Amino acid sequence: MPASARSTGGKIQMTYKEVLQAAQGQMGPCRACPVCNGRACGGTIPGPGAKGSGTVAVRNFDAWRNVRLNMDTIHENFEPDTSLTLFGRSFKYPFFAGPVGAMTLHYGDKYNDLDYNNILVPACAAAGIAAFTGDGTNHKVMEGAAAAITACGGAGIPTVKPWDNATVARKIALARSSGCFAMAMDIDAAGLPFLQHLDPPAGSKTVEQLKEIALAAGVPFILKGIMTVKGAEKAIEAGAAGIVVSNHGGRVLDDCPATQEVLADIVAAVDGRAKILVDGGIRTGSDVFKALALGAPYVKAVCMSRSFMIPAFLGCNIEGALHPERRERVHGAWSALPKTVLDIGDTPETIFAGYHALKERLGADEMAHIPYGAIAMWTMCDRLGAGLQHHMAGARKFGVEHIDRTDICAANRETAQETGIPFITEQDDELARRIVLG
């Protein structure tokens, strides 16, 4: 996704607002809203919305708005280090692409699951992060994901849904063959309405069943869909090396809490016994900073799903318009570039702010074969990383490992009570008393 306020050859690249405008109408029921807050798509399933009332996705987003950042800009000049190490592997940024499945069911026919994984995995690997890949009833989805991860040197996390035991065993073996550094199961997918009565069937798993799966994985096993302390304890008992605090975007259980609302309690209970990631309503570098601070020192990264999809959909349209011979293969919907894009440029070099940096990284030969959707994703990662660095500099944090709960405060007393971070007007009370009382 082209970053705002960047220029190449005297032309300003597309802003995020322009990207969203260009993506509207291209993602099935998803409207590519200016603010992806769950309000417009609430209750839209199949589609991008949350289950039932649709309010869980809204609260996921709103909860992070109730956390404020403390600013400290009187310090030496430095470039913040956004890198981290997870399960022995180094990454450039503490955000990963979340798993997305059933693409044609929820987002139109532009990408099927195989097509999307084939763009997502290499784009994330090139950006220095990892993608959780989606799963589906079609066995070829996992085959394709495993092949894409293998081609990227194991830089991916194949994510298996809680199918029947025999199907899980086959998919685990296939995922292991990819050389992946970790493996995951979105255990909460057992409650997805569109996975019921399918072949293979999906359903809940006991702790004992999960122990067998974690052992069979052969690499660090991550359980996604943990929303309570009790659930976290069960995950650790089952042998999970990591958990993702996630309510599946509100698509499993209506009226459950926002992920931000339960994160602090889960972090305190886990107490370093497993790596923790979190998703739900996280959209910007500011949100990434808040999540790392609230979950410090044990939340290592966040997951984001829709943020990666929007540039992928836009990129294929641009590629199809610039290269009509590729339009059918890349599922491009434009016969020509719209004015909103033409005002920016008419070549990938002038449209995508990250084009030249990615070309320098990969080389001209490989760049010629990179889908434009992947180029757009890579640029979106660069934009997110720049946003995170901006907030780290504003809080005098030299590396992500130094981000902690003193960097944030609560915008209201309810958030303060839920998270344990101080209310905005009370965070310096003790210091003020010492100053006043001498």
Side-chain angles (χ1 to χ4, degrees):
M1 185 177 299
S4 60
R6 298 203 181 180
S7 63
T8 304
K11 290 188 176 183
I12 301 299
Q13 262 58 43
M14 294 176 76
T15 65
Y16 184 52
K17 180 179 179 180
E18 289 167 333
V19 168
L20 289 171
Q21 289 173 340
Q24 288 172 358
Q26 307 300 316
M27 301 177 64
C30 179
R31 304 179 188 184
C33 299
V35 178
C36 184
N37 56 19
R39 284 176 165 80
C41 59
T44 308
I45 298 180
K51 195 173 184 179
S53 67
T55 57
V56 176
V58 175
R59 284 187 283 107
N60 274 345
F61 179 87
D62 287 348
W64 296 112
R65 305 323 104 185
N66 293 328
V67 177
R68 299 287 191 264
L69 304 179
N70 292 324
M71 187 170 71
D72 176 10
T73 57
I74 303 177
H75 54 68
E76 61 274 48
N77 192 40
F78 67 97
E79 182 176 349
D81 181 6
T82 59
S83 65
L84 78 152
T85 300
L86 184 66
F87 300 131
R89 194 174 186 112
S90 297
F91 298 97
K92 186 176 181 179
Y93 301 118
F95 49 79
F96 294 164
V100 179
M103 289 289 293
T104 55
L105 177 65
H106 301 299
Y107 297 100
D109 58 3
K110 191 173 295 295
Y111 289 115
N112 60 34
D113 293 351
L114 283 84
D115 292 334
Y116 184 68
N117 281 337
N118 283 336
I119 289 178
L120 180 70
V121 174
C124 289
I129 63 172
F132 286 75
T133 57
D135 191 11
T137 55
N138 183 354
H139 193 63
K140 291 187 179 299
V141 173
M142 185 58 71
E143 289 179 357
I149 291 171
T150 299
C152 292
I157 305 173
T159 307
V160 181
K161 295 204 177 299
W163 310 110
D164 64 281
N165 292 347
T167 302
V168 168
R170 287 195 299 272
K171 294 202 175 192
I172 288 287
L174 184 56
R176 283 188 66 169
S177 71
S178 71
C180 60
F181 75 97
M183 201 179 300
M185 173 176 283
D186 49 346
I187 189 64
D188 54 348
L192 292 173
F194 47 85
L195 281 189
Q196 306 307 307
H197 313 297
L198 293 180
D199 183 19
S204 300
K205 300 293 180 189
T206 67
V207 170
E208 292 303 317
Q209 288 173 323
L210 289 172
K211 282 182 179 179
E212 294 179 6
I213 294 169
L215 185 62
V219 292
F221 182 63
I222 302 170
L223 272 175
K224 178 179 176 291
I226 305 301
M227 283 294 292
T228 63
V229 167
K230 184 182 294 185
E233 292 290 354
K234 290 180 181 179
I236 293 171
E237 183 184 353
I243 62 173
V244 182
V245 177
S246 172
N247 54 32
H248 220 105
R251 294 163 70 80
V252 171
L253 184 67
D254 196 10
D255 292 324
C256 68
T259 54
Q260 181 259 53
E261 294 171 332
V262 302
L263 180 62
D265 285 345
I266 292 174
V267 167
V270 171
D271 194 26
R273 291 177 291 162
K275 307 296 185 185
I276 302 176
L277 295 84
V278 61
D279 69 10
I282 297 170
R283 302 286 184 263
T284 65
S286 172
D287 293 340
V288 175
F289 186 98
K290 292 174 183 179
L292 296 177
L294 183 60
Y298 300 125
V299 169
K300 300 303 180 183
V302 307
C303 293
M304 309 168 74
S305 297
R306 207 165 306 166
S307 298
F308 285 83
M309 294 173 58
I310 292 172
F313 277 76
L314 177 62
C316 72
N317 285 341
I318 293 173
E319 184 167 4
L322 293 179
H323 302 278
E325 74 281 4
R326 305 181 195 169
R327 189 175 304 146
E328 183 177 354
R329 176 171 59 83
V330 302
H331 307 287
W334 295 343
S335 58
L337 294 177
K339 185 177 185 301
T340 53
V341 178
L342 280 173
D343 286 345
I344 306 303
D346 56 5
T347 67
E349 292 88 345
T350 54
I351 294 171
F352 298 113
Y355 186 93
H356 293 286
L358 184 57
K359 182 178 179 180
E360 183 177 344
R361 179 187 178 97
L362 299 179
D365 291 343
E366 186 172 351
M367 191 66 180
H369 302 288
I370 297 292
Y372 287 10
I375 297 173
M377 280 186 181
W378 186 94
T379 314
M380 186 276 294
C381 289
D382 184 56
R383 173 182 175 272
L384 267 176
L388 175 59
Q389 281 190 313
H390 171 77
H391 289 91
M392 290 173 65
R396 195 179 177 272
K397 297 299 175 179
F398 298 93
V400 292
E401 70 275 13
H402 300 302
I403 298 173
D404 60 36
R405 290 166 67 87
T406 65
D407 296 315
I408 53 176
C409 55
N412 53 60
R413 295 188 186 279
E414 182 181 5
T415 300
Q417 184 175 2
E418 288 170 348
T419 63
I421 57 176
F423 181 46
I424 190 169
T425 61
E426 297 176 351
Q427 60 179 334
D428 292 323
D429 278 7
E430 185 59 34
L431 175 62
R433 288 191 189 97
R434 291 201 303 268
I435 293 173
V436 170
L437 298 176

